Amino acid sequence: KEKYGDETMKYVADLYNKIALSKKTHSFEEEVKLHDKTLYLNTTIRPIINEFGRVIRLIGTNLDISNFKKPELQIRTLSAAVEHSPTTIVITDTKGNIEYANPKFTELTGYSLQEIKGINTRILSSGKTDKEDIKQLWETIKSGKIWQGEFINKKKNGDEFIESASISPVFSEENKVLNYVAIK
């Protein structure tokens, strides 16, 4: 009791009572802190019922899923960082069709992700960015390098704006370009 604290002991007792009363197996994920380490466990608790239908014991197993959970948590953190970024972030396929745009993109351009998903980034073109710059952009990113420059783009309402951008290829494990990510 002293090791775990009253709150933890009450939680465990309530959980065991709930399982015993339901007479059903329960599985759940839990986070366990041990000293300076956090473990993520998939816990299953099964009641053992005697011939009279009474629960006589609970048997529990824990499977350490930390190796699976930590990358998931990292992905959530990265996703939240992109969603809340103060800069516009756009991910396209290799042809420039938009697969993702963060909320800052919507705020700046007036286009929602639903409106522009699958649409080519040319939808933003004002026609005033030098064609040679656009050609250089595609040559650079197709060769696997990072391009930096400016666009004169237009919002959904037609207003023009200047955007400074950095566009990078995203590679597969086999070093094949899968996507492009623009940070503007």
Side-chain angles (χ1 to χ4, degrees):
K1 186 174 178 179
E2 292 144 14
K3 183 177 179 182
Y4 298 106
D6 289 340
E7 198 173 301
T8 301
M9 294 303 290
K10 181 175 178 355
Y11 168 77
V12 171
D14 288 347
L15 177 64
Y16 286 178
N17 284 331
K18 177 182 170 186
I19 294 169
L21 289 171
S22 74
K23 298 183 181 180
K24 293 181 180 173
T25 299
H26 288 271
S27 293
F28 51 92
E29 287 183 12
E30 60 184 328
E31 181 180 318
V32 178
K33 298 195 185 299
L34 297 172
H35 308 290
D36 61 342
K37 188 175 182 183
T38 300
L39 294 177
Y40 297 92
L41 304 174
N42 187 325
T43 300
T44 300
I45 301 174
R46 183 171 62 94
I48 303 299
I49 302 170
N50 68 13
E51 65 271 13
F52 304 109
R54 297 185 74 179
V55 175
I56 57 171
R57 178 176 296 125
L58 297 174
I59 295 179
T61 58
N62 291 312
L63 177 63
D64 184 352
I65 58 171
S66 300
N67 289 339
F68 303 105
K69 199 70 173 172
K70 288 176 183 170
E72 178 186 314
L73 295 171
Q74 184 179 20
I75 289 169
R76 282 189 197 163
T77 300
L78 292 172
S79 180
V82 169
E83 285 288 309
H84 297 96
S85 175
T87 59
T88 299
I89 300 175
V90 177
I91 300 172
T92 70
D93 64 15
T94 56
K95 295 178 181 165
N97 299 315
I98 299 170
E99 292 184 356
Y100 170 82
N102 71 346
K104 191 67 174 180
F105 173 89
T106 297
E107 183 183 318
L108 176 67
T109 67
Y111 289 105
S112 70
L113 177 57
Q114 294 77 18
E115 288 178 285
I116 50 90
K117 192 170 186 178
I119 304 294
N120 195 281
T121 54
R122 285 188 299 268
I123 194 171
L124 300 171
S125 176
S126 67
K128 294 184 179 179
T129 301
D130 189 294
K131 290 187 185 345
E132 201 52 44
D133 289 342
I134 300 296
K135 181 181 174 195
Q136 184 64 41
L137 152 69
W138 281 103
E139 286 174 4
T140 302
I141 62 176
K142 282 183 176 181
S143 73
K145 297 179 182 153
I146 298 170
W147 178 87
Q148 292 181 334
E150 286 188 350
F151 299 108
I152 303 170
N153 281 339
K154 66 176 178 183
K155 299 178 183 184
K156 183 177 178 179
N157 68 9
D159 290 349
E160 291 180 0
F161 64 102
I162 297 174
E163 235 177 358
S164 179
S166 177
I167 303 175
S168 307
V170 177
F171 296 97
S172 70
E173 289 182 14
E174 296 81 29
N175 211 29
K176 180 182 174 208
V177 175
L178 299 173
N179 299 87
Y180 298 114
V181 61
I183 300 173
K184 309 180 200 184

